[in-house]
Amino acid sequence: MAKLLVKLQRYFRRKPVRFFTLLALYLAAGSLVFLHSGFAGEPTVTGSQRGSGAGEGPGVPYLGVMQLSRGFKAAATMQEGGRRHGPWFKSTSKELAERGKAGDYGSTRSRALRGRSGREKEEDRARYIGCYVDNTRRRTLRGVSFFDYKKMTVFRCQDNCAERGYLYAGLEFGAECYCGHKVQASNASESECNMECKGERSNTCGGVNRLSIYRLELAQESARRYGSAIFRGCFRQPDNVSIALPVSQLMLNMSVDKCVDFCTEKEYPLSALAGTACRCGFPTTLFTLHEREDEQLCAQKCAGEEFESCGTSEYLLVYQTQVQDNRCMDRRFLPTHAKQLVALASFPGAGNTWARHLIELATGFYTGSYYFDGSLYNKGFKGERDHWRSGRTICIKTHESGQKEIESFDSAILLIRNPYKALMAEFNRKYGGHIGFAAHAHWKGKEWPEFVANYAPWWATHTLDWLRYGKKVLVVHFEDLKRDLFVQLQRMVGLLGIAACEDRLLCVEGQKDGNFKRSGLRKLEYDPYTPEMRKMISGYIKTVDKALKLRNLSGVPDDYYPR
């Protein structure tokens, strides 16, 4: 065999033309076989073989607005490697196999009709009702919403809305999902819903200010619940209650669920129980929800539910419904280019992305970044793609700390966080992503000690550099922002040159978590900081504290331990 190969090698060396001719024939034969297999049609695949990823890519956890049960977080996530189905889901494996077989007919109208024919096959779980007009200032569907500019699919949107008890799911701009209990807009032409889904090219996901809306056919009447509500607390009834909470109804058989359902149907984000009266409205300057009372003042037993409290005529028990307060959800680029560049500066892990979310809601303008993070862009931070000097964004995220970089900005919001928590947050981001967590192996291995040794000094020098070289610096402590969001956000918006609308800031308080705020640091079984680490970090805290006070600023908060 070896001798034969040597002879062939010598032969083709002497006559290379024959070699290339033979190679061309081989490639041509392969191409013919490939084309034949393409025309022969695709093999039949059963639903069980395709699995839950058909047409959607790998299962991705829902990163939209997290819902809270009364007092407890209940973030809905999907199982790893598969899709989580609610009780409404009734499709068969045959239907799943038929999904995505519609061809591309090459025109806007054909795409809309193609998507429609696919929808009709899925009527058991969701019925397509049409293309509708949407408005960024007054949404057609006013429940929760989430974006994914990379992996959005029709099924994923339907699944997330259905699991939260909504009756309608709408898709817009190929990547945005909106949920709601009512459709409050006029129909549009089907040809205007002409954008393919980012994660599923075989389906249509609305258009520019156009929603492809589905009515979710729930399998059980019990699933028509309006989901969980967020407990906001006990509050004294406002003086002008009929203006502060304009919609009300007498309920002799009162319960928390009945009042929450009533306000949800009326499309209000607040549900207030006042004994036998249920009131609905928005947080406003007349009813800010800032002055909580002792819950015992609201501890009057509900007539319709023995183990629940329903407030009194003087003290209201308030819940936040699933209706999204859209007064602060519209965002856009600056209409004219900014003349000054404002930095949103922080050490990594200090909550910069969360602060960006708050600023965007409070001002209505996109924030930019010194870097480019595709995952942030895909989740709705549209200013992420702009060059940081473009002048189209209200402020620029940066972690830089050198003199040259700092002096590039005309002013800055300097966000400072407890170094112990900032270091752990950045370590989690580095090894677990924006909202994930590092594995225990990373904490126990060499990665953590090396990380602390390199990053702890940077925590101090970052603040010191901005205080030294920054032209106009507003210091905001992460802990103060969490504790008193309204006041701190007013300060931040003031530096940005935007007139702070109080009702808009109150709206932000109800949407404050966003998509990139971790639900608390994962509790470790041990303290990751050694005595040597604590001694080093304590010295850095004292240095920063002293530098702040030398500039007549308040020092670091008391919970920066040890001091």
Side-chain angles (χ1 to χ4, degrees):
M1 186 66 182
K3 290 182 179 180
L4 179 62
L5 290 174
V6 171
K7 287 182 179 179
L8 285 172
Q9 187 179 16
R10 289 175 179 172
Y11 175 78
F12 285 122
R13 277 181 181 174
R14 290 195 300 269
K15 298 180 180 181
V17 175
R18 294 186 180 181
F19 171 73
F20 286 114
T21 302
L22 183 63
L23 181 62
L25 290 171
Y26 175 77
L27 293 174
S31 299
L32 288 172
V33 172
F34 177 76
L35 288 171
H36 174 75
S37 64
F39 283 111
E42 60 182 24
T44 301
V45 184
T46 65
S48 60
Q49 286 173 316
R50 289 182 67 170
S52 61
E56 186 173 329
V60 180
Y62 170 66
L63 298 177
V65 180
M66 298 301 181
Q67 299 302 308
L68 303 181
S69 183
R70 297 182 187 103
F72 299 94
K73 288 215 169 187
T77 58
M78 295 201 292
Q79 295 176 359
E80 186 176 348
R83 184 182 286 112
R84 182 176 172 182
H85 303 291
W88 59 282
F89 180 76
K90 300 189 296 183
S91 66
T92 63
S93 59
K94 182 179 179 181
E95 288 171 327
L96 281 173
E98 288 173 351
R99 290 184 66 210
K101 287 189 179 181
D104 187 358
Y105 301 111
S107 70
T108 299
R109 179 67 177 167
S110 297
R111 270 202 304 273
L113 292 174
R114 175 199 63 202
R116 188 168 185 172
S117 64
R119 295 163 189 144
E120 289 170 354
K121 295 178 182 179
E122 299 177 352
E123 285 191 359
D124 275 350
R125 62 171 173 268
R127 178 168 56 87
Y128 177 69
I129 64 171
C131 181
Y132 285 78
V133 175
D134 196 22
N135 188 317
T136 57
R137 295 187 179 275
R138 189 167 179 81
R139 289 293 181 188
T140 301
L141 296 175
R142 300 176 189 171
V144 299
S145 62
F146 74 102
F147 310 142
D148 195 326
Y149 289 89
K150 189 176 181 181
K151 297 181 180 179
M152 181 62 72
T153 67
V154 171
F155 188 91
R156 185 178 175 208
C157 180
Q158 293 174 355
D159 199 23
N160 279 288
C161 292
E163 284 190 346
R164 285 155 183 77
Y166 287 104
L167 296 180
Y168 296 96
L171 295 107
E172 182 173 332
F173 204 64
E176 301 173 3
C177 175
Y178 298 89
C179 311
H181 296 297
K182 292 180 181 178
V183 178
Q184 303 185 74
S186 57
N187 280 95
S189 169
E190 284 295 324
S191 61
E192 295 178 34
C193 284
N194 54 15
M195 296 186 73
E196 294 178 334
C197 303
K198 295 294 184 181
E200 185 180 36
R201 295 299 176 90
S202 61
N203 258 325
T204 304
C205 284
V208 179
N209 291 328
R210 295 294 182 267
L211 278 167
S212 298
I213 297 183
Y214 296 81
R215 179 179 172 85
L216 304 174
E217 303 298 328
L218 305 182
Q220 301 175 16
E221 187 63 28
S222 61
R224 292 185 183 271
R225 298 293 316 126
Y226 292 105
S228 53
I230 304 171
F231 178 67
R232 297 298 298 269
C234 177
F235 300 88
R236 182 184 291 274
Q237 180 172 283
D239 294 333
N240 300 315
V241 66
S242 60
I243 300 175
L245 300 167
V247 175
S248 65
Q249 180 161 312
L250 184 67
M251 295 182 179
L252 298 178
N253 199 27
M254 173 71 83
S255 71
V256 173
D257 284 342
K258 287 179 180 176
C259 188
V260 169
D261 291 355
F262 172 72
C263 293
T264 301
E265 287 179 336
K266 297 296 182 182
E267 298 285 344
Y268 283 97
L270 292 185
S271 171
L273 292 83
T276 56
C278 174
R279 297 186 177 277
C280 314
F282 293 91
T284 64
T285 52
L286 296 175
F287 193 48
T288 62
L289 303 182
H290 287 165
E291 299 177 3
R292 292 180 64 157
E293 303 285 351
D294 189 333
E295 288 183 28
Q296 290 300 315
L297 296 173
C298 290
Q300 177 174 300
K301 190 181 298 183
C302 293
E305 180 56 59
E306 183 180 358
F307 301 104
E308 290 181 343
S309 297
C310 278
T312 69
S313 58
E314 188 177 354
Y315 291 95
L316 309 180
L317 205 61
V318 180
Y319 290 86
Q320 184 171 320
T321 72
Q322 281 196 323
V323 175
Q324 185 164 275
D325 189 345
N326 286 314
R327 295 175 299 168
C328 60
M329 297 306 292
D330 59 302
R331 286 169 288 175
R332 61 191 186 281
F333 289 103
L334 292 173
T336 58
H337 286 263
K339 295 180 181 179
Q340 293 192 329
L341 293 176
V342 183
L344 178 61
S346 74
F347 173 78
N352 198 304
T353 302
W354 180 52
R356 287 178 68 184
H357 164 74
L358 298 175
I359 290 171
E360 289 194 0
L361 295 187
T363 65
F365 296 113
Y366 290 118
T367 59
S369 177
Y370 195 81
Y371 321 98
F372 170 69
D373 189 328
S375 65
L376 292 180
Y377 176 82
N378 290 334
K379 302 305 178 186
F381 286 94
K382 292 186 179 179
E384 193 74 19
R385 272 190 176 177
D386 269 37
H387 189 274
W388 66 280
R389 286 186 177 273
S390 71
R392 297 206 307 159
T393 53
I394 193 69
C395 64
I396 312 297
K397 165 188 175 178
T398 180
H399 299 310
E400 302 302 308
S401 56
Q403 179 179 356
K404 182 180 177 181
E405 288 79 6
I406 292 172
E407 291 178 346
S408 300
F409 294 95
D410 300 291
S411 58
I413 297 169
L414 177 59
L415 190 63
I416 305 174
R417 187 181 187 184
N418 184 321
Y420 291 100
K421 293 185 178 179
L423 289 168
M424 292 178 71
E426 175 58 11
F427 190 72
N428 276 318
R429 187 206 64 80
K430 187 173 182 180
Y431 290 99
H434 278 284
I435 58 172
F437 295 90
H440 280 278
H442 293 128
W443 293 101
K444 290 181 176 291
K446 65 178 182 179
E447 294 93 342
W448 172 243
E450 290 178 356
F451 178 85
V452 172
N454 292 325
Y455 277 68
W458 182 20
W459 175 86
T461 58
H462 182 277
T463 299
L464 297 175
D465 283 355
W466 277 95
L467 292 174
R468 181 179 179 183
Y469 302 118
K471 297 172 186 175
K472 183 181 177 183
V473 179
L474 173 69
V475 174
V476 176
H477 293 283
F478 176 87
E479 293 74 18
D480 292 339
L481 186 59
K482 282 184 66 179
R483 187 165 39 244
D484 195 355
L485 186 143
F486 188 88
V487 171
Q488 297 301 323
L489 202 50
Q490 267 187 324
R491 295 176 64 222
M492 295 162 72
V493 171
L495 181 79
L496 297 172
I498 302 293
C501 172
E502 289 193 26
D503 280 356
R504 189 168 183 118
L505 293 179
L506 290 169
C507 170
V508 176
E509 287 187 312
Q511 323 284 338
K512 63 183 180 182
D513 282 349
N515 295 345
F516 279 91
K517 184 175 181 295
R518 281 190 186 86
S519 54
L521 292 177
R522 178 182 288 173
K523 297 295 182 182
L524 296 174
E525 297 175 356
Y526 67 99
D527 181 0
Y529 291 101
T530 64
E532 293 76 16
M533 291 178 183
R534 289 189 172 276
K535 183 178 179 180
M536 174 182 63
I537 295 171
S538 178
Y540 294 136
I541 292 174
K542 291 175 181 177
T543 301
V544 169
D545 185 61
K546 182 179 178 180
L548 290 169
K549 290 177 178 176
L550 283 174
R551 288 160 178 78
N552 296 319
L553 300 170
S554 59
V556 299
D558 293 336
D559 57 358
Y560 284 29
Y561 55 88
R563 297 285 296 277

